[in-house]
Amino acid sequence: MTQVDFYILPDTTLEARLGFACRLAETIYRKGYRLHLHAEDEVMARDLDDRLWTFRADAYVPHALLGSNQEATVPVTIGWQDLPMAGEPPPQALLNLHPGIPEWFSRFERVAEIINQHQDVLTAKRACWQTYRKRGYPVTPHQLKVSAPSTPSSAAK
């Protein structure tokens, strides 16, 4: 059964949420998981693509946007469309940055959701939390005290 982790940030900005998403993606990748980042839309997906190259000078997260020539050859994909199909083995982890839950989330071993203190995000992710729980999925919260640039320690155990 898919394990769902909610990372709860004290920050209110999209900048902090996407910055943490990059750090979490690096942690998940370093633990050997193939990962898919599911963005809200194309603008967010392209922003994440750029940020993964620049979020930290010493970081390297091989990634590609869905639909690119590289998507089948990298361990991290980014999209806003349907389920990522390329890559062998398929992604095991999903980092969901979309306000809703993709219909295909249960195909992943792990799902990470990031909540910050922006009212729209709080409202959307509370609904996601309730949906996962109603469906019987194990949900684990990770309350983060300080938004620091360090690597998330409990990601994708």
Side-chain angles (χ1 to χ4, degrees):
M1 176 172 274
T2 302
Q3 168 66 45
V4 182
D5 293 286
F6 276 80
Y7 296 89
I8 305 162
L9 305 178
D11 305 286
T12 59
T13 66
L14 177 62
E15 179 75 26
R17 189 168 182 243
L18 296 181
F20 181 79
C22 290
R23 294 188 308 272
L24 184 59
E26 180 188 26
T27 298
I28 293 168
Y29 158 69
R30 288 189 182 278
K31 289 186 178 218
Y33 284 85
R34 292 183 61 82
L35 171 68
H36 178 68
L37 282 84
H38 185 60
E40 183 172 355
D41 54 28
E42 183 177 1
V43 171
M44 181 186 276
R46 292 190 182 283
D47 187 12
L48 284 165
D49 180 37
D50 290 341
R51 285 173 186 264
L52 282 172
W53 290 113
T54 61
F55 76 97
R56 215 178 66 231
D58 63 340
Y60 176 65
V61 179
H63 66 281
L65 289 167
L66 289 184
S68 72
N69 293 335
Q70 297 84 23
E71 84 174 90
T73 63
V74 294
V76 177
T77 56
I78 307 167
W80 65 96
Q81 318 91 325
D82 294 327
L83 173 68
M85 299 305 267
E88 279 302 320
Q92 303 127 306
L94 169 67
L95 200 167
N96 185 32
L97 293 164
H98 191 280
I101 302 171
E103 294 177 12
W104 33 264
F105 80 92
S106 63
R107 296 184 184 195
F108 296 87
E109 295 171 24
R110 304 291 300 257
V111 173
E113 298 271 4
I114 300 173
I115 301 175
N116 68 347
Q117 303 307 305
H118 186 279
Q119 192 57 49
D120 293 342
V121 174
L122 284 169
T123 301
K125 291 305 167 182
R126 280 183 186 135
C128 292
W129 176 288
Q130 292 169 352
T131 299
Y132 288 125
R133 296 292 297 240
K134 283 180 190 173
R135 293 183 183 177
Y137 287 92
V139 177
T140 304
H142 304 277
Q143 186 76 42
L144 303 174
K145 305 282 187 228
V146 179
S147 181
S150 62
T151 303
S153 62
S154 57
K157 293 179 186 173

